[in-house]
């Protein structure tokens, strides 16, 4: 079981929330795309600021750096706030996720959250990342839908963490999973209708 410190003070919770949101709201995809000379990534492909859309530019280093940035903006605030306990770290993780999904700098229109979800897990419970990757790879190999693989992985992780005794982290992961599903509503509709693009397809 994870050791549980005392109740989180309001001041610490607010500080963790601010650190999390400020880190999470950094639009790495937008900043890096401009640095690489692609202009506004929101005018490319799906219009999303994440690594998947960055890959649609055809520039793999851009996509890799965007992925790394979106992961780290979940990990860094969690690790910074661990000093105040697991509740503070989870608060920072939650607000980093909200910052990524709803960045104030971009009119609250951000990414879909999968990479940041992984980054938060990396900071809170690295075993959760291993579970996520294993499920994602299995689903991707079986069905060749990246979105389906991610949605399934985010569904399995909270259950697995809860069974392993990471109660508070499992609770956070469950909340993040709900948000991931809400942000993937269009993908879910396409999966249901059979129009979602498969991994490696040009559609």
């Amino acid at each position: 079981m994870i050791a549980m410190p005392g109740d989180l003070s309001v001041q610490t919770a607010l500080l963790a929330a601010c650190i999390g949101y400020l880190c999470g709201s950094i639009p790495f995809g937008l900043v890096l795309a401009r640095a690489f000379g692609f202009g506004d990534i929101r005018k490319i492909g799906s219009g999303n600021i994440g690594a998947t859309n960055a890959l649609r530019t055809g520039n793999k280093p851009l996509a890799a750096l965007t992925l790394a940035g979106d992961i780290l903006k979940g990990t860094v605030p969690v690790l910074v706030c661990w000093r105040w306990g697991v509740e503070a770290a989870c608060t920072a993780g939650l607000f980093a996720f909200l910052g990524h999904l709803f960045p104030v700098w971009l009119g609250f229109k951000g990414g879909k959250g999968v990479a940041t979800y992984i980054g938060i897990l990396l900071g809170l419970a690295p075993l959760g990342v291993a579970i996520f990757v294993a499920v994602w790879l299995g689903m991707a190999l079986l069905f060749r839908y990246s979105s389906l693989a991610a949605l399934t992985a985010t569904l399995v992780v909270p259950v697995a963490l809860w069974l392993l005794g990471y109660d508070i982290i499992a609770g956070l992961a469950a909340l993040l999973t709900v948000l991931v599903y809400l942000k993937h509503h269009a993908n879910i509709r396409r999966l249901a209708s059979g129009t979602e693009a498969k991994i490696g397809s040009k559609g």
Side-chain angles (χ1 to χ4, degrees):
M1 295 286 292
I2 300 299
M4 298 286 289
D7 292 339
L8 188 62
S9 70
V10 173
Q11 293 89 342
T12 302
L14 288 173
L15 180 57
C18 288
I19 291 171
Y21 186 85
L22 289 173
C23 287
S25 64
I26 300 171
F28 283 105
L30 183 64
V31 173
L32 289 168
R34 285 175 174 167
F36 274 73
F38 289 100
D40 192 339
I41 196 172
R42 294 171 295 180
K43 297 179 181 178
I44 298 170
S46 67
N48 193 267
I49 62 170
T52 300
N53 200 42
L55 188 58
R56 292 190 175 100
T57 64
N59 191 300
K60 292 181 179 179
L62 168 60
L65 287 171
T66 300
L67 178 63
D70 285 348
I71 289 173
L72 288 174
K73 69 185 182 183
T75 306
V76 170
V78 165
L79 294 180
V80 168
C81 294
W82 255 121
R83 70 186 68 186
W84 301 308
V86 67
E87 292 103 331
C90 285
T91 300
L94 172 60
F95 278 85
F97 197 76
L98 292 173
H100 176 70
L101 267 54
F102 310 109
V104 64
W105 331 110
L106 303 181
F108 302 102
K109 296 178 181 179
K112 294 183 178 180
V114 175
T116 305
Y117 184 106
I118 294 170
I120 293 165
L121 283 179
L122 185 61
L124 291 172
L127 181 58
V129 178
I131 295 167
F132 184 102
V133 171
V135 174
W136 192 96
L137 287 174
M139 292 297 292
L141 288 171
L142 281 173
F143 300 103
R144 294 183 55 229
Y145 289 112
S146 178
S147 58
L148 178 62
L151 290 167
T152 305
T154 59
L155 199 61
V156 170
V157 165
V159 177
L161 290 177
W162 179 73
L163 291 173
L164 290 167
Y166 293 82
D167 296 350
I168 189 171
I169 297 172
L172 172 64
L175 177 56
L176 300 186
T177 294
V178 171
L179 293 171
V180 166
Y181 270 70
L182 290 174
K183 291 293 286 188
H184 280 76
H185 60 89
N187 301 84
I188 293 170
R189 286 199 299 269
R190 289 194 295 268
L191 285 166
S193 64
T195 58
E196 179 79 330
K198 291 192 173 183
I199 295 171
S201 72
K202 295 182 180 180

